[in-house]
Amino acid sequence: MMPLNRREFLRLAATGLCALPLGIQARIVYAGDRIELVLQAEQSNWLGDQYHPIDLWGMDQKVLRLKQNQAVEIVVKNELPEATSLHWHGLRIENAMDGVSGLTQRAINPGEEFVYRFTPQDAGTFWAHTHHNTYQQLARGLYIPMIVEESSPVSVDQDHLLVLDDWRLNKGGQLDLESLGNMHEWSHGGRMGNVLTINRQFQPRIQVSAGTRVRLRILNAANSRVMAVELPETSAWILAKDGQPLKVPVVLQGSLILAPAERYDLIVDIPAEWKGEVPIYEVSTEQRFAGAYWYVSASNALIGRSPPTRLPSNPMPQLSKKKPSQSIQLKMEGGAMGGLRKAVYQTQSMEVRELIQHKQIWALNGVANLPDKPLLSAKTGDLIEIEIINNTRWPHGMHLHGHHFQADSARYIEGLWHDTLLMEQGEKTVISFQAEEPGKWLLHCHMIEHQAAGMVTWFEVTT
């Protein structure tokens, strides 16, 4: 399908706590396999029998497991009442498969299907989510975690997902759809929910055995909430960030903070003395909430293991051996108390009151939403540096499509690769990446309401 023109994309973009049964054994997709993924309505019952089941959007599978370096065709069938698309967040694949409606493909209309074809070059923890009318469709639950398995199995006893999401429910116990598009929220921290789920369940029990070693994959799937996960006291190491392994596993200290769309892979040793229910807390607010529980059974498993070894490396570029081809600056502006006076929107310079009439309140380099011209144009293999300056009063989680980058941010472990990066108010950081697949790629805030209200730009890569 041919991409939409820029004006149509701008129109769509402007309108732009949970988990699955943990440890679920999802279908493995082998080389050349063709699978179907149906987007459909579903229901959940988090609040008990006194409420009606909650109407959500989801898919007919709960998690996708792919194989590194093995080609796959995923036939996405849209049985929802709206058009949509799927973005394969974190995967470095060809631009035509990136799943951004209006930029890389036409949206998949109700009753239609689209075939995504790609070969995952990176093993790790990723996810797929709607990239069409995203602020509404993501709030309804239209996403799926995705695991790309290493070529050689990792030595653990169990492999579990921890997918966090917060949902906004109204007094009737249904999704609060009337509040979608609230400009007060868009201009502040974004849409926050009032119910936390893990793997699309309310306070699930995660079955583990005492004395075992667990790989724990944590994903923040919320629209805008920065999550903080506090594990019970035990030995735990960070193995990977956003799908990319650390050179050496790092001991986890304190809570683990995740902006929307960030992922971490951990190794967690379950102590031999644990038994019964042991809480896992979400601590991003003043309330220390038990989002899930380890449910620990006795076993004769080995204990007292040595620290874990690193995961196999993915084929990442050597940035330190290159000189930047381009170094540019990206200023983040706007939002409540941000002092934005005017910005360019759809080629027109507008005062802030007029911008708000178009539901725009954030800007990058003085432009609200997609500019006519790319932020930069690079050739495959070029090293790019972008100094990002957060001149706003709010945190932002900046996501780069189709690439991973390194950053000089002091809040992260040195040497990490990211596809999404948390930036607090007033922060500056320089991100560095090598331009890879040709095409048009987005750079935007993954507080989705901020993206919809203007905080999104694009760059192009040519051969």
Side-chain angles (χ1 to χ4, degrees):
M1 295 183 180
M2 296 296 293
L4 302 181
N5 61 37
R6 178 186 169 277
R7 183 172 297 277
E8 179 67 5
F9 177 62
L10 284 171
R11 183 185 69 79
L12 295 173
T15 63
L17 291 213
C18 21
L20 346 153
L22 286 139
I24 186 169
Q25 296 300 307
R27 178 181 180 184
I28 297 177
V29 183
Y30 294 103
D33 201 2
R34 179 180 172 93
I35 64 169
E36 292 185 358
L37 189 62
V38 181
L39 314 184
Q40 61 188 17
E42 64 179 51
Q43 292 184 323
S44 289
N45 190 354
W46 301 326
L47 304 179
D49 295 338
Q50 68 271 32
Y51 288 92
H52 293 292
I54 300 163
D55 295 325
L56 308 173
W57 285 3
M59 306 182 195
D60 65 336
Q61 299 189 44
K62 298 304 182 184
V63 60
L64 288 177
R65 284 185 182 265
L66 311 181
K67 282 285 190 179
Q68 186 179 19
N69 297 322
Q70 293 191 1
V72 63
E73 291 186 344
I74 302 179
V75 183
V76 175
K77 297 187 174 184
N78 184 10
E79 294 185 0
L80 297 168
E82 292 182 8
T84 191
S85 65
L86 282 189
H87 167 54
W88 309 90
H89 188 118
L91 291 189
R92 297 185 294 148
I93 55 180
E94 64 178 280
N95 188 245
M97 298 293 104
D98 195 46
V100 180
S101 65
L103 191 68
T104 67
Q105 68 172 88
R106 286 192 179 274
I108 312 167
N109 287 318
E112 293 183 348
E113 63 183 44
F114 186 89
V115 182
Y116 293 94
R117 299 179 177 91
F118 53 81
T119 300
Q121 60 176 312
D122 298 331
T125 304
F126 305 94
W127 64 314
H129 62 77
T130 173
H131 220 294
H132 179 90
N133 204 12
T134 316
Y135 78 93
Q136 293 193 31
Q137 295 187 1
L138 193 63
R140 291 173 178 262
L142 194 55
Y143 61 83
I144 185 171
M146 178 170 50
I147 294 170
V148 180
E149 296 185 332
E150 290 82 5
S151 300
S152 300
V154 176
S155 180
V156 293
D157 298 304
Q158 289 179 288
D159 190 324
H160 284 294
L161 275 164
L162 202 69
V163 184
L164 302 99
D165 198 359
D166 68 336
W167 311 77
R168 176 80 65 81
L169 302 187
N170 58 26
K171 292 181 180 179
Q174 292 294 320
L175 289 181
D176 183 4
L177 302 180
E178 293 184 1
S179 65
L180 289 167
N182 182 295
M183 279 302 292
H184 181 272
E185 294 180 346
W186 285 28
S187 65
H188 289 69
R191 181 179 177 81
M192 304 294 172
N194 52 18
V195 172
L196 172 73
T197 64
I198 303 293
N199 302 343
R200 289 181 112 85
Q201 300 175 57
F202 184 75
Q203 294 185 321
R205 272 56 178 171
I206 306 168
Q207 301 282 339
V208 293
S209 297
T212 58
R213 173 162 284 183
V214 174
R215 181 172 181 172
L216 187 62
R217 305 169 186 263
I218 306 178
L219 157 65
N220 181 358
N223 268 41
S224 289
R225 185 183 297 276
V226 177
M227 300 283 191
V229 177
E230 182 182 286
L231 296 177
E233 188 172 346
T234 184
S235 297
W237 295 263
I238 301 174
L239 287 185
K241 163 72 162 63
D242 291 347
Q244 301 301 337
L246 277 64
K247 291 183 178 179
V248 178
V250 173
V251 174
L252 175 63
Q253 297 179 334
S255 59
L256 187 67
I257 298 173
L258 300 94
E262 285 192 297
R263 291 96 58 212
Y264 281 94
D265 285 38
L266 307 180
I267 286 290
V268 180
D269 283 348
I270 306 299
E273 63 272 17
W274 280 8
K275 62 180 180 179
E277 294 183 350
V278 180
I280 299 172
Y281 290 103
E282 203 288 318
V283 294
S284 62
T285 65
E286 294 180 358
Q287 181 183 7
R288 195 163 171 263
F289 181 75
Y293 292 85
W294 297 116
Y295 190 81
V296 187
S297 58
S299 78
N300 295 319
L302 297 175
I303 58 173
R305 307 184 192 203
S306 59
T309 57
R310 60 165 296 173
L311 293 172
S313 298
N314 288 323
M316 304 301 293
Q318 296 295 320
L319 301 186
S320 61
K321 296 181 179 180
K322 306 184 69 172
K323 292 184 179 180
S325 301
Q326 296 185 55
S327 297
I328 66 171
Q329 196 173 76
L330 187 66
K331 294 181 180 179
M332 308 160 73
E333 306 166 288
M337 302 171 288
L340 183 68
R341 298 183 181 275
K342 64 180 180 179
V344 173
Y345 175 63
Q346 293 191 0
T347 74
Q348 302 296 314
S349 179
M350 299 182 183
E351 303 292 329
V352 67
R353 289 186 179 181
E354 189 177 2
L355 288 169
I356 292 173
Q357 291 176 1
H358 292 276
K359 298 187 75 67
Q360 302 295 292
I361 193 58
W362 302 94
L364 295 174
N365 285 357
V367 180
N369 226 295
L370 271 290
D372 269 353
K373 296 181 179 179
L375 176 69
L376 61 92
S377 181
K379 292 186 179 297
T380 297
D382 284 355
L383 177 61
I384 306 301
E385 287 186 351
I386 304 177
E387 182 187 31
I388 305 178
I389 303 171
N390 184 0
N391 286 331
T392 80
R393 300 292 186 92
W394 303 94
H396 303 284
M398 297 303 290
H399 171 48
L400 187 68
H401 280 227
H403 298 74
H404 279 75
F405 58 87
Q406 294 186 323
D408 64 359
S409 173
R411 71 171 54 256
Y412 289 95
I413 301 166
E414 187 176 356
L416 288 183
W417 288 97
H418 311 261
D419 61 51
T420 309
L421 181 86
L422 177 63
M423 293 186 64
E424 292 289 351
Q425 61 170 314
E427 274 195 280
K428 298 180 182 180
T429 188
V430 176
I431 69 170
S432 303
F433 65 96
Q434 178 175 292
E436 297 190 57
E437 289 288 332
K440 297 177 180 180
W441 301 99
L442 292 185
L443 171 60
H444 66 86
C445 179
H446 221 284
M447 278 72 167
I448 293 300
E449 289 75 24
H450 294 173
Q451 174 198 336
M455 194 166 281
V456 53
T457 188
W458 65 285
F459 66 99
E460 66 178 358
V461 179
T462 61
T463 55

